[in-house]
Amino acid sequence: MFEISTPRDAKIYVAGHHGLVGAAVVRRLEQAGFTNILVATRDQLDLRDQAAVNYWFRANRPDYVYLVAGTVGGIWANANRPADFIYDNMMIHATVVHAGYLFGVQKLLYLGSSCIYPRLAPQPMTEGALLTGLLEPTNEPYAIAKIAGIKLCQAYRKQYGCNFVSGMPTNLFGPNDNFDLQTSHVLPALMRKVHEARLGGRHEIEVWGTGSAMREFLYVDDLADACLFLMEHYEDDGHVNIGTGVEVSIRELAETLIEVIHPTATIRWDANKPDGAPRKLLDVSKLTKVGWTHGTDLRTGIDKTYAWLESNFGHARGVDHEQPATLSS
Ligand SMILES: NC(=O)c1ccc[n+]([C@@H]2O[C@H](COP(=O)([O-])OP(=O)(O)OC[C@H]3O[C@@H](n4cnc5c(N)ncnc54)[C@H](OP(=O)(O)O)[C@@H]3O)[C@@H](O)[C@H]2O)c1
């Protein structure tokens, strides 16, 4: 628990409130007693359109902004839609940051991603690894847009004195995730595969790679708690990593999902398919020093997410689009 000094009737805009992160941020703000949470659907406000964003900010005058909207996806989506990933994200970051400056937002929190770090960054990755080497080519356009978001916040802070801060989350998961096998991240994709195998009475599940890659996962309600914490207590010009500092192999992850969802199933690893980077772990010592640590372990987060998926499978995001199964981290 931490102190929350923002008045509970402050106007708080959550950009991207329908998404995995945005919905969790809204839940956390409501839980903290905030009564004036502003949201807009994509139909009401295309965040890539500066004139529309300015119009909306002029009309609504938010005091605080959580910038958690964007075009997001796994390796397949990044590889096949690089233009969307760079254009949408650069535009969304730029329009919201600029409107935040123009209309006197008191504080803005921007979320980037751990893919901003170089492909060969020493592990665990510290904030200082930014711009020290070449990026992972498969998601370079997305990463460039995410880095531009950090630089936007810093530039507006420097030139105009705006209180804009940046957090870089690790891989996230939780209720309301995207479960489309082509566009989702590894954890929701694997969860869906195991769930569908259980529903179909199948006992062998094929997964890309050898399972040896190590990854870090943060439960999205913990991320939302960290966002509120940073809004209340973080004033640094530099970005801060948001993660658990705990890593798990894809093999262990898959075994946990099987234990929770379909205990009689087994995995057939397709070693001809890529594993991705061998290790991707954030150094979270800066965040720990400022005063925040995660509260939900991976197993508890998976239990909660699967409980949600079981009750919402028919209308979970991405489930209605039948796609060939491709899995990679
Ligand atoms: N998921 C992860 O593992 C992860 C990890 C690290 C960082 N992040 C960062 O966290 C942020 C949120 O990610 P997420 O996983 O919550 O993504 P998400 O579930 O796909 O949600 C993105 C949200 O942004 C909205 N949006 C996208 N383009 C828009 C546009 N042009 N105009 C208005 N709204 C638009 C979407 O609206 P619709 O509902 O209409 O589509 C949706 O509400 C992103 O900045 C991402 O880089 C995510």
Side-chain angles (χ1 to χ4, degrees):
M1 290 304 273
F2 49 87
E3 195 190 326
I4 300 171
S5 51
T6 303
R8 297 306 195 273
D9 61 352
K11 282 190 185 180
I12 304 184
Y13 172 41
V14 180
H17 72 288
H18 262 166
L20 170 67
V21 173
V25 169
V26 169
R27 282 197 294 279
R28 182 66 184 93
L29 292 171
E30 285 173 349
Q31 186 201 25
F34 287 97
T35 54
N36 212 345
I37 303 168
L38 309 176
V39 295
T41 64
R42 188 195 291 251
D43 289 344
Q44 291 165 331
L45 177 59
D46 183 343
L47 291 169
R48 297 169 301 181
D49 179 344
Q50 185 75 66
V53 173
N54 287 354
Y55 184 87
W56 190 92
F57 269 69
R58 187 180 290 112
N60 292 283
R61 300 273 173 183
D63 301 311
Y64 297 87
V65 173
Y66 289 81
L67 175 44
V68 296
T71 294
V72 178
I75 198 166
W76 188 93
N78 270 276
N80 286 280
R81 294 171 46 216
D84 294 351
F85 275 78
I86 192 164
Y87 176 79
D88 292 358
N89 289 306
M90 282 182 60
M91 294 304 288
I92 290 170
H93 303 155
T95 61
V96 176
V97 164
H98 191 61
Y101 149 65
L102 286 180
F103 297 99
V105 162
Q106 288 181 38
K107 189 163 181 180
L108 176 149
L109 171 67
Y110 158 71
L111 282 194
S113 156
S114 58
C115 69
I116 58 161
Y117 293 119
R119 186 165 60 99
L120 300 176
Q123 302 290 324
M125 298 179 285
T126 64
E127 288 82 359
L130 181 65
L131 295 176
T132 57
L134 294 176
L135 297 164
E136 162 61 36
T138 50
N139 59 18
E140 190 184 66
Y142 174 71
I144 293 277
K146 288 276 137 192
I147 293 170
I150 300 176
K151 295 299 168 190
L152 271 166
C153 291
Q154 287 174 339
Y156 278 73
R157 172 184 280 271
K158 189 171 175 193
Q159 185 173 343
Y160 300 121
C162 296
N163 189 4
F164 295 171
V165 297
S166 304
M168 297 304 118
T170 186
N171 301 303
L172 306 169
F173 71 102
N176 207 39
D177 209 337
N178 172 17
F179 290 89
D180 183 319
L181 291 175
Q182 268 193 346
T183 58
S184 63
H185 293 111
V186 63
L187 193 155
L190 265 177
M191 181 175 279
R192 175 178 171 179
K193 282 197 99 174
V194 181
H195 178 64
E196 287 185 331
R198 196 193 87 187
L199 294 183
R202 283 177 285 110
H203 292 275
E204 190 178 79
I205 299 164
E206 187 184 305
V207 181
W208 275 25
T210 63
S212 64
M214 303 295 289
R215 292 290 182 270
E216 176 188 11
F217 298 96
L218 178 67
Y219 186 58
V220 73
D221 284 343
D222 282 9
L223 185 260
D225 188 62
C227 288
L228 180 56
F229 174 84
L230 294 176
M231 197 57 117
E232 295 292 323
H233 298 288
Y234 188 74
E235 301 295 340
D236 203 303
D237 166 61
H239 64 282
V240 59
N241 290 340
I242 312 174
T244 63
V246 179
E247 57 188 338
V248 63
S249 69
I250 297 297
R251 183 177 290 271
E252 288 168 273
L253 172 69
E255 283 165 3
T256 307
L257 288 166
I258 283 191
E259 197 180 301
V260 171
I261 302 168
H262 188 17
T264 56
T266 54
I267 297 175
R268 189 160 57 80
W269 295 95
D270 183 353
N272 294 320
K273 297 286 190 331
D275 273 325
R279 219 181 150 203
K280 270 179 84 179
L281 178 66
L282 288 179
D283 181 321
V284 290
S285 50
K286 181 173 178 183
L287 183 61
T288 311
K289 252 182 234 142
V290 195
W292 189 88
T293 47
H294 75 288
T296 309
D297 62 41
L298 182 63
R299 172 61 194 254
T300 307
I302 285 175
D303 284 340
K304 288 183 178 179
T305 306
Y306 186 58
W308 180 89
L309 184 67
E310 258 195 310
S311 327
N312 293 280
F313 193 60
H315 50 270
R317 195 150 46 115
V319 167
D320 47 341
H321 313 138
E322 277 319 315
Q323 308 278 7
T326 53
L327 265 187
S328 175
S329 51

CSV table of all heavy atoms in Angstrom, one decimal, residues 204-243:
chain,number,residue,atom,x,y,z
A,204,GLU,N,-2.4,-33.9,-26.8
A,204,GLU,CA,-1.1,-33.5,-27.2
A,204,GLU,C,-1.2,-32.1,-27.8
A,204,GLU,O,-2.0,-31.8,-28.6
A,204,GLU,CB,-0.5,-34.4,-28.2
A,204,GLU,CG,1.0,-34.1,-28.5
A,204,GLU,CD,1.6,-35.1,-29.5
A,204,GLU,OE1,1.4,-34.8,-30.7
A,204,GLU,OE2,2.3,-36.0,-29.0
A,205,ILE,N,-0.3,-31.2,-27.3
A,205,ILE,CA,-0.4,-29.8,-27.7
A,205,ILE,C,1.0,-29.5,-28.3
A,205,ILE,O,2.0,-29.7,-27.6
A,205,ILE,CB,-0.7,-28.9,-26.5
A,205,ILE,CG1,-2.0,-29.3,-25.9
A,205,ILE,CG2,-0.6,-27.4,-26.9
A,205,ILE,CD1,-2.3,-28.7,-24.5
A,206,GLU,N,0.9,-28.9,-29.5
A,206,GLU,CA,2.2,-28.6,-30.2
A,206,GLU,C,2.6,-27.1,-29.9
A,206,GLU,O,1.7,-26.2,-29.9
A,206,GLU,CB,2.1,-28.8,-31.7
A,206,GLU,CG,3.4,-28.6,-32.3
A,206,GLU,CD,3.3,-28.7,-33.8
A,206,GLU,OE1,2.8,-29.7,-34.3
A,206,GLU,OE2,3.8,-27.7,-34.5
A,207,VAL,N,3.8,-26.9,-29.5
A,207,VAL,CA,4.3,-25.5,-29.2
A,207,VAL,C,5.6,-25.3,-29.9
A,207,VAL,O,6.4,-26.2,-30.0
A,207,VAL,CB,4.4,-25.3,-27.6
A,207,VAL,CG1,4.9,-23.9,-27.3
A,207,VAL,CG2,3.1,-25.6,-26.9
A,208,TRP,N,5.7,-24.1,-30.4
A,208,TRP,CA,6.9,-23.7,-31.1
A,208,TRP,C,8.1,-23.6,-30.2
A,208,TRP,O,8.0,-23.2,-29.0
A,208,TRP,CB,6.8,-22.3,-31.7
A,208,TRP,CG,6.1,-22.2,-33.0
A,208,TRP,CD1,5.2,-23.1,-33.5
A,208,TRP,CD2,6.2,-21.2,-34.0
A,208,TRP,NE1,4.8,-22.7,-34.8
A,208,TRP,CE2,5.4,-21.5,-35.1
A,208,TRP,CE3,6.9,-20.0,-34.0
A,208,TRP,CZ2,5.3,-20.7,-36.2
A,208,TRP,CZ3,6.8,-19.1,-35.1
A,208,TRP,CH2,6.0,-19.5,-36.2
A,209,GLY,N,9.3,-24.0,-30.7
A,209,GLY,CA,10.6,-23.9,-30.0
A,209,GLY,C,10.9,-25.0,-29.1
A,209,GLY,O,10.2,-26.1,-29.1
A,210,THR,N,11.9,-24.8,-28.3
A,210,THR,CA,12.3,-25.9,-27.4
A,210,THR,C,11.8,-25.7,-25.9
A,210,THR,O,11.9,-26.5,-25.1
A,210,THR,CB,13.9,-25.9,-27.3
A,210,THR,OG1,14.3,-24.7,-26.7
A,210,THR,CG2,14.5,-26.1,-28.6
A,211,GLY,N,11.3,-24.5,-25.7
A,211,GLY,CA,10.8,-24.2,-24.3
A,211,GLY,C,11.9,-23.6,-23.4
A,211,GLY,O,11.7,-23.3,-22.3
A,212,SER,N,13.1,-23.4,-24.0
A,212,SER,CA,14.2,-23.1,-23.1
A,212,SER,C,14.3,-21.5,-22.9
A,212,SER,O,15.0,-21.1,-22.0
A,212,SER,CB,15.5,-23.5,-23.7
A,212,SER,OG,15.8,-22.9,-25.0
A,213,ALA,N,13.7,-20.8,-23.7
A,213,ALA,CA,13.8,-19.3,-23.6
A,213,ALA,C,13.2,-18.9,-22.2
A,213,ALA,O,12.2,-19.4,-21.8
A,213,ALA,CB,13.0,-18.6,-24.7
A,214,MET,N,13.9,-17.9,-21.6
A,214,MET,CA,13.5,-17.4,-20.3
A,214,MET,C,12.8,-16.1,-20.5
A,214,MET,O,13.2,-15.2,-21.2
A,214,MET,CB,14.7,-17.2,-19.4
A,214,MET,CG,15.6,-18.4,-19.2
A,214,MET,SD,14.7,-19.8,-18.3
A,214,MET,CE,14.6,-19.1,-16.7
A,215,ARG,N,11.6,-16.0,-19.8
A,215,ARG,CA,10.8,-14.7,-19.9
A,215,ARG,C,10.3,-14.3,-18.5
A,215,ARG,O,10.2,-15.1,-17.6
A,215,ARG,CB,9.6,-14.9,-20.8
A,215,ARG,CG,10.0,-15.1,-22.3
A,215,ARG,CD,10.5,-13.9,-22.9
A,215,ARG,NE,10.8,-14.1,-24.3
A,215,ARG,CZ,12.0,-14.5,-24.8
A,215,ARG,NH1,13.0,-14.8,-24.0
A,215,ARG,NH2,12.2,-14.6,-26.1
A,216,GLU,N,9.9,-13.1,-18.5
A,216,GLU,CA,9.3,-12.5,-17.2
A,216,GLU,C,7.9,-12.1,-17.5
A,216,GLU,O,7.6,-11.6,-18.6
A,216,GLU,CB,10.2,-11.2,-16.9
A,216,GLU,CG,9.8,-10.4,-15.7
A,216,GLU,CD,10.6,-9.1,-15.6
A,216,GLU,OE1,11.3,-8.7,-16.5
A,216,GLU,OE2,10.5,-8.5,-14.5
A,217,PHE,N,7.0,-12.3,-16.5
A,217,PHE,CA,5.6,-12.0,-16.7
A,217,PHE,C,5.1,-11.2,-15.5
A,217,PHE,O,5.3,-11.6,-14.4
A,217,PHE,CB,4.8,-13.2,-17.0
A,217,PHE,CG,5.1,-14.0,-18.2
A,217,PHE,CD1,6.0,-15.1,-18.1
A,217,PHE,CD2,4.7,-13.6,-19.4
A,217,PHE,CE1,6.4,-15.8,-19.2
A,217,PHE,CE2,5.1,-14.3,-20.6
A,217,PHE,CZ,5.9,-15.4,-20.5
A,218,LEU,N,4.3,-10.2,-15.8
A,218,LEU,CA,3.7,-9.4,-14.7
A,218,LEU,C,2.2,-9.4,-14.9
A,218,LEU,O,1.7,-9.1,-16.0
A,218,LEU,CB,4.2,-7.9,-14.8
A,218,LEU,CG,3.7,-6.9,-13.8
A,218,LEU,CD1,4.2,-7.2,-12.4
A,218,LEU,CD2,4.2,-5.5,-14.1
A,219,TYR,N,1.5,-9.7,-13.8
A,219,TYR,CA,0.1,-9.7,-13.8
A,219,TYR,C,-0.5,-8.3,-13.9
A,219,TYR,O,0.0,-7.4,-13.3
A,219,TYR,CB,-0.5,-10.4,-12.5
A,219,TYR,CG,-1.9,-10.6,-12.5
A,219,TYR,CD1,-2.6,-11.3,-13.4
A,219,TYR,CD2,-2.7,-10.0,-11.5
A,219,TYR,CE1,-4.0,-11.5,-13.4
A,219,TYR,CE2,-4.1,-10.1,-11.4
A,219,TYR,CZ,-4.7,-10.9,-12.4
A,219,TYR,OH,-6.1,-11.1,-12.4
A,220,VAL,N,-1.5,-8.1,-14.8
A,220,VAL,CA,-1.8,-6.8,-15.2
A,220,VAL,C,-2.4,-5.9,-14.1
A,220,VAL,O,-2.2,-4.7,-14.1
A,220,VAL,CB,-2.8,-6.8,-16.4
A,220,VAL,CG1,-4.2,-7.2,-16.0
A,220,VAL,CG2,-2.8,-5.4,-17.1
A,221,ASP,N,-3.0,-6.5,-13.1
A,221,ASP,CA,-3.5,-5.7,-12.0
A,221,ASP,C,-2.3,-5.2,-11.1
A,221,ASP,O,-2.4,-4.1,-10.5
A,221,ASP,CB,-4.5,-6.5,-11.1
A,221,ASP,CG,-5.8,-6.6,-11.8
A,221,ASP,OD1,-6.1,-5.8,-12.7
A,221,ASP,OD2,-6.6,-7.4,-11.4
A,222,ASP,N,-1.2,-5.9,-11.1
A,222,ASP,CA,0.0,-5.4,-10.5
A,222,ASP,C,0.6,-4.2,-11.3
A,222,ASP,O,1.0,-3.2,-10.7
A,222,ASP,CB,1.1,-6.5,-10.4
A,222,ASP,CG,0.8,-7.5,-9.2
A,222,ASP,OD1,-0.3,-7.4,-8.6
A,222,ASP,OD2,1.7,-8.3,-8.9
A,223,LEU,N,0.5,-4.4,-12.6
A,223,LEU,CA,1.0,-3.3,-13.4
A,223,LEU,C,0.2,-2.0,-13.2
A,223,LEU,O,0.7,-0.9,-13.0
A,223,LEU,CB,0.9,-3.7,-14.9
A,223,LEU,CG,1.5,-2.8,-16.0
A,223,LEU,CD1,0.4,-2.0,-16.7
A,223,LEU,CD2,2.6,-1.9,-15.7
A,224,ALA,N,-1.1,-2.2,-13.1
A,224,ALA,CA,-2.0,-1.0,-12.8
A,224,ALA,C,-1.7,-0.4,-11.5
A,224,ALA,O,-1.7,0.9,-11.4
A,224,ALA,CB,-3.5,-1.5,-12.9
A,225,ASP,N,-1.4,-1.2,-10.5
A,225,ASP,CA,-1.0,-0.7,-9.2
A,225,ASP,C,0.3,0.1,-9.3
A,225,ASP,O,0.4,1.2,-8.8
A,225,ASP,CB,-0.8,-1.9,-8.2
A,225,ASP,CG,-0.6,-1.4,-6.8
A,225,ASP,OD1,-1.5,-0.8,-6.2
A,225,ASP,OD2,0.5,-1.7,-6.3
A,226,ALA,N,1.2,-0.4,-10.1
A,226,ALA,CA,2.5,0.3,-10.3
A,226,ALA,C,2.3,1.6,-11.0
A,226,ALA,O,2.9,2.6,-10.7
A,226,ALA,CB,3.5,-0.6,-11.1
A,227,CYS,N,1.3,1.6,-12.0
A,227,CYS,CA,1.0,2.9,-12.7
A,227,CYS,C,0.5,4.0,-11.7
A,227,CYS,O,1.0,5.1,-11.8
A,227,CYS,CB,0.0,2.6,-13.8
A,227,CYS,SG,0.6,1.7,-15.2
A,228,LEU,N,-0.4,3.6,-10.9
A,228,LEU,CA,-0.9,4.5,-9.9
A,228,LEU,C,0.2,5.0,-9.0
A,228,LEU,O,0.3,6.2,-8.6
A,228,LEU,CB,-2.1,3.9,-9.1
A,228,LEU,CG,-2.7,4.7,-8.0
A,228,LEU,CD1,-3.2,6.1,-8.5
A,228,LEU,CD2,-3.9,4.0,-7.3
A,229,PHE,N,1.1,4.0,-8.6
A,229,PHE,CA,2.2,4.4,-7.7
A,229,PHE,C,3.1,5.4,-8.4
A,229,PHE,O,3.5,6.4,-7.8
A,229,PHE,CB,3.0,3.1,-7.4
A,229,PHE,CG,4.3,3.4,-6.6
A,229,PHE,CD1,4.2,3.6,-5.2
A,229,PHE,CD2,5.5,3.6,-7.3
A,229,PHE,CE1,5.4,3.9,-4.5
A,229,PHE,CE2,6.6,3.9,-6.6
A,229,PHE,CZ,6.6,4.0,-5.2
A,230,LEU,N,3.4,5.2,-9.7
A,230,LEU,CA,4.3,6.1,-10.4
A,230,LEU,C,3.6,7.5,-10.5
A,230,LEU,O,4.3,8.5,-10.4
A,230,LEU,CB,4.7,5.5,-11.8
A,230,LEU,CG,5.5,4.3,-11.7
A,230,LEU,CD1,5.7,3.8,-13.2
A,230,LEU,CD2,6.9,4.5,-11.1
A,231,MET,N,2.3,7.5,-10.8
A,231,MET,CA,1.6,8.7,-10.9
A,231,MET,C,1.7,9.5,-9.6
A,231,MET,O,1.8,10.7,-9.6
A,231,MET,CB,0.1,8.4,-11.2
A,231,MET,CG,-0.6,9.6,-11.8
A,231,MET,SD,0.1,10.3,-13.3
A,231,MET,CE,-1.1,10.0,-14.5
A,232,GLU,N,1.7,8.8,-8.5
A,232,GLU,CA,1.7,9.5,-7.2
A,232,GLU,C,3.1,9.8,-6.7
A,232,GLU,O,3.3,10.8,-6.0
A,232,GLU,CB,1.1,8.6,-6.1
A,232,GLU,CG,-0.4,8.3,-6.3
A,232,GLU,CD,-1.3,9.6,-6.1
A,232,GLU,OE1,-0.9,10.3,-5.2
A,232,GLU,OE2,-2.2,9.8,-6.8
A,233,HIS,N,4.1,9.0,-7.0
A,233,HIS,CA,5.4,9.1,-6.4
A,233,HIS,C,6.6,9.2,-7.3
A,233,HIS,O,7.7,9.2,-6.7
A,233,HIS,CB,5.6,7.9,-5.4
A,233,HIS,CG,4.5,7.8,-4.4
A,233,HIS,ND1,4.5,8.7,-3.3
A,233,HIS,CD2,3.5,7.0,-4.2
A,233,HIS,CE1,3.5,8.4,-2.5
A,233,HIS,NE2,2.8,7.4,-3.1
A,234,TYR,N,6.5,9.1,-8.6
A,234,TYR,CA,7.7,9.1,-9.4
A,234,TYR,C,7.8,10.4,-10.2
A,234,TYR,O,6.8,10.8,-10.9
A,234,TYR,CB,7.6,7.9,-10.4
A,234,TYR,CG,8.8,7.7,-11.2
A,234,TYR,CD1,10.0,7.2,-10.6
A,234,TYR,CD2,8.9,8.1,-12.6
A,234,TYR,CE1,11.1,7.0,-11.4
A,234,TYR,CE2,10.0,7.9,-13.3
A,234,TYR,CZ,11.2,7.3,-12.7
A,234,TYR,OH,12.3,7.1,-13.4
A,235,GLU,N,8.9,11.1,-10.1
A,235,GLU,CA,9.0,12.4,-10.7
A,235,GLU,C,10.3,12.5,-11.6
A,235,GLU,O,10.6,13.5,-12.1
A,235,GLU,CB,9.2,13.5,-9.7
A,235,GLU,CG,8.0,13.6,-8.7
A,235,GLU,CD,6.7,14.0,-9.4
A,235,GLU,OE1,6.8,14.6,-10.5
A,235,GLU,OE2,5.7,13.8,-8.8
A,236,ASP,N,10.9,11.4,-11.9
A,236,ASP,CA,12.2,11.3,-12.6
A,236,ASP,C,12.1,11.6,-14.1
A,236,ASP,O,11.1,11.1,-14.7
A,236,ASP,CB,12.8,9.9,-12.3
A,236,ASP,CG,14.3,9.9,-12.5
A,236,ASP,OD1,14.8,10.3,-13.5
A,236,ASP,OD2,14.9,9.5,-11.5
A,237,ASP,N,13.0,12.3,-14.6
A,237,ASP,CA,13.1,12.5,-16.1
A,237,ASP,C,13.3,11.2,-16.8
A,237,ASP,O,12.8,11.0,-17.9
A,237,ASP,CB,14.3,13.5,-16.3
A,237,ASP,CG,14.7,13.6,-17.7
A,237,ASP,OD1,13.8,14.0,-18.5
A,237,ASP,OD2,15.8,13.3,-18.0
A,238,GLY,N,14.1,10.3,-16.3
A,238,GLY,CA,14.4,9.0,-16.9
A,238,GLY,C,13.3,8.0,-16.8
A,238,GLY,O,12.5,8.1,-15.8
A,239,HIS,N,13.2,7.1,-17.7
A,239,HIS,CA,12.2,6.0,-17.6
A,239,HIS,C,12.5,5.0,-16.5
A,239,HIS,O,13.7,5.0,-16.1
A,239,HIS,CB,12.0,5.3,-18.9
A,239,HIS,CG,13.2,4.6,-19.4
A,239,HIS,ND1,14.3,5.2,-19.9
A,239,HIS,CD2,13.4,3.3,-19.3
A,239,HIS,CE1,15.2,4.3,-20.2
A,239,HIS,NE2,14.7,3.1,-19.9
A,240,VAL,N,11.5,4.2,-16.1
A,240,VAL,CA,11.7,3.2,-15.1
A,240,VAL,C,11.1,1.9,-15.5
A,240,VAL,O,10.0,1.8,-16.1
A,240,VAL,CB,11.2,3.7,-13.7
A,240,VAL,CG1,9.7,3.9,-13.8
A,240,VAL,CG2,11.5,2.7,-12.6
A,241,ASN,N,11.9,0.8,-15.3
A,241,ASN,CA,11.4,-0.5,-15.7
A,241,ASN,C,10.3,-1.0,-14.7
A,241,ASN,O,10.4,-0.7,-13.5
A,241,ASN,CB,12.5,-1.6,-15.6
A,241,ASN,CG,13.5,-1.4,-16.7
A,241,ASN,OD1,13.3,-0.8,-17.7
A,241,ASN,ND2,14.7,-1.9,-16.4
A,242,ILE,N,9.3,-1.7,-15.2
A,242,ILE,CA,8.2,-2.2,-14.4
A,242,ILE,C,8.1,-3.7,-14.6
A,242,ILE,O,7.7,-4.2,-15.7
A,242,ILE,CB,6.8,-1.6,-14.7
A,242,ILE,CG1,6.9,-0.1,-14.7
A,242,ILE,CG2,5.8,-2.0,-13.6
A,242,ILE,CD1,5.6,0.6,-15.2
A,243,GLY,N,8.5,-4.5,-13.6
A,243,GLY,CA,8.5,-6.0,-13.8
A,243,GLY,C,8.5,-6.6,-12.4
A,243,GLY,O,8.3,-6.0,-11.4
